Amino acid sequence: MPESRIAMNVRKPNPTTSVIDIEGEVNAGGELILMGAYNEAVSDGASAVVLNFGGLEYMNSGGIGLLVTLLIRAQRQGQRLLAFGLNDHYRQIFELTRLDEAIRIFDGEASALGDVP
Amino acid sequence: MSGNGEREMTTPSDELRDPVARDAANWAPLVQKLQASGVSGDAPNLVDGRRLVGPLQGFGQMWQKTYWVRLSGSDATPAEIMKVWRARFPEFWPRGNRFYPPLAGLEPGEVALFSVSTGPMRLSSGVLVLYADDESFTFMTPQGHMLAAWVTFSAFMEGGSPVAQAQVLMRAQDPIMEISLFLGAQKLEDRQWVHVLSFLARHFGVEAIPETRVTCVDPRRNWSQAKNVWHNAGIRSSIYTLGAPVRWIRAAIRR
């Protein structure tokens, strides 16, 4: 399993939504850290989790696979997954892999939070 | 983990601060429809004009299947293993199944074609090289492939030995393929990757039996994607095979 240089910080801007700030590299080696952050994000009943990719420095195909498994987990628990902070390069990767069809992408945190009732 | 939710990490070093420079060349450029223009051999091309389909756009249950082999005793580095695997990919395939690599090699954005035997019939499709770096490369499937999948081939060190791995994140692309998987196609696919890893290990002088781990990521079926059956690989491959005489006649007339 490749080593992952990743840090995640979980914030709760409002009772229904949590934000996970992602910093560093997203690859398959980051699975435990990402799933741990997700567990923390939904631990008190948040119905939506917003991923902040503003600090993303590197992502490989293993990282995309990790996001898919996270998305499936969220869907099975009835939670929405949203994203913001992606630069043009990573937006294109989301489009290429068609991940953008399942995870709504916003320009900034305010617009992402505004989409959650 | 600290009290404010900060998780354990290795601090990213300053030289890692330029994201585009690090992985931009590893990803395929954005494409709407595939074009398999530079492929070696006489491969049936059922890929041109097709869209890419990932696990999220497939129909069947989602599975993550991991096949790996430990190259104990080999002093090959992960990068050396991947260099060989990528350059000689078709050589490790089982006899009877053919992989037609792009002339430019398995580089990001290139399209490869293949034709595999599944009992009484042959299925033909292709893959896009979605991602490639020194220690891994990933294929993504197009419409008409049996699977809606990403297949990642990688090598890494574990316990002092190099390990080669193939990992498939997949759904059957349509209801017919979902049934086929349960009727035996799943085992054929398992056998395919076990064979590939065994032969790869043998190339590095190691006789080893690959191991397999299968996880059901999503037991639900994606009924909104049942329409994928329109592109079904079996049906399209059969039509292509039945159309062979017409193509021969056309080619003869052109000559």
Side-chain angles (χ1 to χ4, degrees):
Chain A
M1 190 66 77
E3 186 185 325
S4 188
R5 300 169 187 225
I6 189 172
M8 300 207 187
N9 182 52
V10 178
R11 296 183 281 120
K12 306 205 175 196
N14 64 55
T16 60
T17 312
S18 291
V19 176
I20 301 177
D21 299 313
I22 298 171
E23 194 163 319
E25 303 177 357
V26 177
N27 63 25
E31 180 175 7
L32 287 178
I33 295 173
L34 180 59
M35 294 307 169
Y38 175 78
N39 286 339
E40 185 181 338
V42 299
S43 60
D44 58 0
S47 61
V49 175
V50 182
L51 303 175
N52 172 13
F53 287 101
L56 179 62
E57 296 175 338
Y58 171 90
M59 183 161 58
N60 65 11
S61 55
I64 289 287
L66 195 55
L67 294 178
V68 168
T69 53
L70 180 69
L71 173 70
I72 296 297
R73 196 169 152 191
Q75 286 176 342
R76 289 180 69 180
Q77 294 181 13
Q79 287 138 356
R80 287 183 66 200
L81 206 57
L82 305 89
F84 74 94
L86 288 159
N87 64 24
D88 288 346
H89 170 60
Y90 291 117
R91 270 184 186 251
Q92 273 199 8
I93 290 168
F94 269 54
E95 199 177 333
L96 174 69
T97 56
R98 299 182 67 180
L99 203 54
D100 64 332
E101 295 174 13
I103 300 177
R104 275 197 76 188
I105 299 171
F106 295 86
D107 288 334
E109 180 168 342
S111 51
L113 293 177
D115 197 62
V116 182
Chain B
M1 190 172 72
S2 65
N4 67 355
E6 184 85 12
R7 286 179 185 277
E8 189 181 346
M9 66 174 287
T10 308
T11 308
S13 55
D14 289 340
E15 72 268 20
L16 304 181
R17 290 283 171 190
D18 183 0
V20 175
R22 281 193 65 212
D23 66 22
N26 301 130
W27 286 94
L30 182 60
V31 286
Q32 297 303 328
K33 292 188 173 175
L34 294 186
Q35 199 72 38
S37 48
V39 175
S40 58
D42 53 350
N45 183 352
L46 301 179
V47 165
D48 278 358
R50 302 296 170 83
R51 287 194 74 190
L52 287 167
V53 181
L56 294 171
Q57 287 79 37
F59 167 79
Q61 296 176 322
M62 189 185 290
W63 299 89
Q64 185 172 63
K65 303 170 84 173
T66 308
Y67 312 88
W68 73 97
V69 65
R70 186 177 297 277
L71 306 183
S72 301
S74 170
D75 56 4
T77 65
E80 286 166 350
I81 292 166
M82 294 315 296
K83 193 174 175 184
V84 168
W85 202 353
R86 207 164 137 190
R88 306 174 68 167
F89 192 78
E91 295 174 32
F92 303 119
W93 271 41
R95 186 176 295 178
N97 292 350
R98 291 201 61 189
F99 185 88
Y100 304 87
L103 293 170
L106 296 177
E107 298 295 331
E110 294 291 333
V111 175
L113 301 175
F114 67 82
S115 177
V116 295
S117 171
T118 55
M121 65 186 298
R122 292 196 72 77
L123 295 179
S124 301
S125 186
V127 288
L128 172 84
V129 183
L130 177 71
Y131 178 92
D133 64 22
D134 287 346
E135 296 186 354
S136 69
F137 59 97
T138 299
F139 293 157
M140 185 170 177
T141 55
Q143 287 171 327
H145 193 286
M146 296 69 94
L147 307 176
W150 296 323
V151 188
T152 297
F153 307 93
S154 61
F156 50 88
M157 296 299 292
E158 193 177 77
S161 296
V163 175
Q165 176 176 287
Q167 187 169 65
V168 186
L169 185 62
M170 54 160 264
R171 291 184 194 269
Q173 205 163 114
D174 62 59
I176 294 174
M177 281 302 163
E178 177 75 342
I179 293 168
S180 303
L181 285 179
F182 277 93
L183 291 180
Q186 190 111 252
K187 284 193 178 131
L188 287 177
E189 203 217 351
D190 291 347
R191 253 185 256 151
Q192 155 93 6
W193 297 122
V194 166
H195 176 100
V196 166
L197 286 168
S198 299
F199 274 63
L200 179 69
R202 198 171 290 170
H203 176 88
F204 287 96
V206 177
E207 289 291 337
I209 299 171
E211 297 182 65
T212 303
R213 183 176 57 244
V214 178
T215 308
C216 184
V217 178
D218 188 3
R220 297 170 305 178
R221 294 188 172 84
N222 215 352
W223 286 98
S224 65
Q225 304 293 344
K227 61 183 185 298
N228 290 346
V229 75
W230 171 249
H231 297 285
N232 180 273
I235 295 171
R236 299 276 171 162
S237 297
S238 301
I239 292 171
Y240 184 86
T241 304
L242 291 172
V246 177
R247 287 196 303 278
W248 294 335
I249 291 167
R250 275 193 194 148
I253 291 170
R254 277 196 211 111
R255 280 197 293 269

